[in-house]
Amino acid sequence: MNIVVFASGAGSNAACLFRDGARGRFGGAKFFLVSDNPDSGALRAAREMGIESITFNPGAPGARISPDAAGRLLEALEKINPTLVVLAGFMRIMPSAIVRAFDGRMINLHPSLLPLYKGKDSIRRAFEAGEKITGCTVHYVSDELDGGKIIAQKPVEILPGDSVESLTQRVHAAEHELLGSVVEKLIIGREARL
Ligand code: GAR
């Protein structure tokens, strides 16, 4: 079984998955990293842990991926033939052709209790709105941004003395737990059915 993780930035969630994987949490699944950012922490973590990685040039501004880059990416993914694709801090919009090709096999981690605070800066927006509770969500990827079927959520209380930074730290800690447990359920569940 192959698990492909997409990440663009710090890569703390990707690193947790790689670490748990190395400890055997996901059976014998083999990890791959895909990143649009050659300077990402995710890529450094993958290198340090001996995880095969692919960096690609998105070929388009903002959050987009050009049709050419999408075609090359889809080809690379089809070669890997992943059981599961995990978007863990991937900051680009996944092209429709790739979403369709991995329908039901592609999940995304998002730092809010969806359907609240879709899109960017979700932790800050929840904090500034004066919410008492926020959290994180893992959901299947669909063509609607942050809109696919929800698999699991973990709430995080916003405390009176919190800052955006302290809240962000606790949301990240919750994400590390939530994502690992969802991947474990999906992978081990699938293994049991094989
Ligand atoms: C995580 O909080 C993840 O939920 C968020 O990016 C962060 C990545 O952290 N993803 C999104 O906002 C996607 N819409 P990490 O690089 O340390 O894993």
Side-chain angles (χ1 to χ4, degrees):
M1 274 187 307
N2 293 327
I3 302 177
V4 174
V5 180
F6 276 72
S8 302
S12 69
N13 284 283
C16 275
L17 290 177
F18 299 156
R19 210 173 303 126
D20 283 357
R23 292 181 184 139
R25 183 173 185 188
F26 312 118
K30 179 176 175 182
F31 277 93
F32 296 78
L33 174 80
V34 178
S35 185
D36 56 323
N37 176 6
D39 299 320
S40 61
L43 199 57
R44 272 198 301 282
R47 286 198 185 117
E48 275 164 23
M49 301 192 67
I51 305 288
E52 268 183 54
S53 57
I54 297 170
T55 33
F56 74 97
N57 181 344
R64 292 171 193 285
I65 295 175
S66 73
D68 276 2
R72 283 194 295 274
L73 198 51
L74 181 55
E75 232 171 78
L77 288 171
E78 278 168 346
K79 272 195 198 132
I80 296 172
N81 188 24
T83 309
L84 189 65
V85 178
V86 182
L87 311 187
F90 183 59
M91 299 317 230
R92 302 228 167 223
I93 297 165
M94 192 57 84
S96 272
I98 300 181
V99 172
R100 276 198 304 277
F102 296 97
D103 184 34
R105 283 189 286 162
M106 186 183 289
I107 62 174
N108 179 49
L109 173 67
H110 186 78
S112 76
L113 293 176
L114 290 172
L116 297 173
Y117 303 104
K118 293 179 177 181
K120 286 203 319 198
D121 253 345
S122 310
I123 302 175
R124 175 183 299 280
R125 285 188 290 129
F127 180 80
E128 288 177 352
E131 300 282 4
K132 298 252 180 308
I133 206 152
T134 184
C136 50
T137 301
V138 178
H139 64 92
Y140 285 107
V141 176
S142 73
D143 267 333
E144 186 195 339
L145 183 70
D146 300 326
K149 182 170 176 267
I150 292 173
I151 302 170
Q153 297 186 300
K154 195 170 174 65
V156 174
E157 216 182 320
I158 302 181
L159 304 171
D162 257 336
S163 59
V164 176
E165 291 69 29
S166 62
L167 177 61
T168 299
Q169 273 186 10
R170 289 206 312 290
V171 172
H172 282 175
E175 289 188 316
H176 298 160
E177 277 185 36
L178 183 72
L179 187 60
S181 72
V182 169
V183 170
E184 183 180 354
K185 278 197 193 103
L186 293 176
I187 285 294
I188 301 298
R190 205 169 295 247
E191 209 172 36
R193 285 201 298 279
L194 286 175

